[in-house]
Amino acid sequence: MGVDFRVEKTGLLKDPPNKLPRLMKKNVSAAVNDSVRPAWDMVRGPIPKGESGLYQSIKLKRATIAQPEASIDSRHWLLELVEEKTSAHEIRPRGSVSDMVAGTAHKALRFKGKGGIVFAARVKHPGTKGKHSWKAGYEFVQATLQTSIQQAIDA
């Protein structure tokens, strides 16, 4: 008595052999983007679109067929102050001691307050709780990426 089995080409396997890897890479890169794009929105969500430029500095690099890696990036100097908890601190105008002696330093802070534009020699900032939006975005990608890629491979 013999054993016989047959493998039939179905779905993607019917396509020429060189097309299969490209389609798989396309599905995987789409799955990566499907996980990272919502995380990008989560990261930027709590950040105001103000004059600081922080919101605009948060860039999304999408995955492609050639490079199935995606990233969210910002090198803005305010990022750590917004993301992490800060303690109470004093804010003073920028400028070095030599700028102050020369008279070229900024002498006041200028910002928008409840009643309009406010000028102050210094401000006692109460500190912040931190937005922690990068952590939330990272956790979202960790929770969804494996499932998204597995569904792309199985498709």
Side-chain angles (χ1 to χ4, degrees), residues 90-93 106-111 119-123:
E90 187 175 273
I91 302 174
R92 296 180 185 203
H106 299 284
K107 295 179 182 169
L109 296 167
R110 178 185 181 270
F111 55 93
F119 292 91
R122 63 188 176 131
V123 174

Side-chain angles (χ1 to χ4, degrees), residues 34-45:
D34 287 347
S35 287
V36 175
R37 175 59 199 253
W40 182 55
D41 292 334
M42 291 171 75
V43 166
R44 296 188 327 158

Side-chain angles (χ1 to χ4, degrees), residues 26-144:
K26 182 178 180 182
N27 287 350
V28 169
S29 63
V32 169
N33 289 331
D34 287 347
S35 287
V36 175
R37 175 59 199 253
W40 182 55
D41 292 334
M42 291 171 75
V43 166
R44 296 188 327 158
I47 298 171
K49 299 177 186 178
E51 296 174 12
S52 72
L54 177 57
Y55 182 89
Q56 294 83 355
S57 77
I58 301 170
K59 303 296 182 193
L60 168 66
K61 181 181 175 195
R62 297 176 60 86
T64 63
I65 293 172
Q67 189 161 356
E69 299 172 358
S71 65
I72 303 169
D73 183 63
S74 176
R75 300 283 183 238
H76 199 281
W77 67 274
L78 278 174
L79 181 60
E80 194 172 326
L81 296 173
V82 172
E83 180 68 7
E84 300 297 329
K85 180 181 177 180
T86 62
S87 58
H89 57 280
E90 187 175 273
I91 302 174
R92 296 180 185 203
R94 287 187 287 183
S96 65
V97 173
S98 60
D99 288 339
M100 290 179 192
V101 170
T104 58
H106 299 284
K107 295 179 182 169
L109 296 167
R110 178 185 181 270
F111 55 93
K112 290 181 185 176
K114 292 180 182 176
I117 302 295
V118 177
F119 292 91
R122 63 188 176 131
V123 174
K124 291 188 178 187
H125 193 283
T128 63
K129 294 179 183 177
K131 302 287 186 193
H132 306 290
S133 60
W134 285 80
K135 181 180 178 187
Y138 174 79
E139 289 172 352
F140 177 82
V141 170
Q142 291 297 310
T144 61

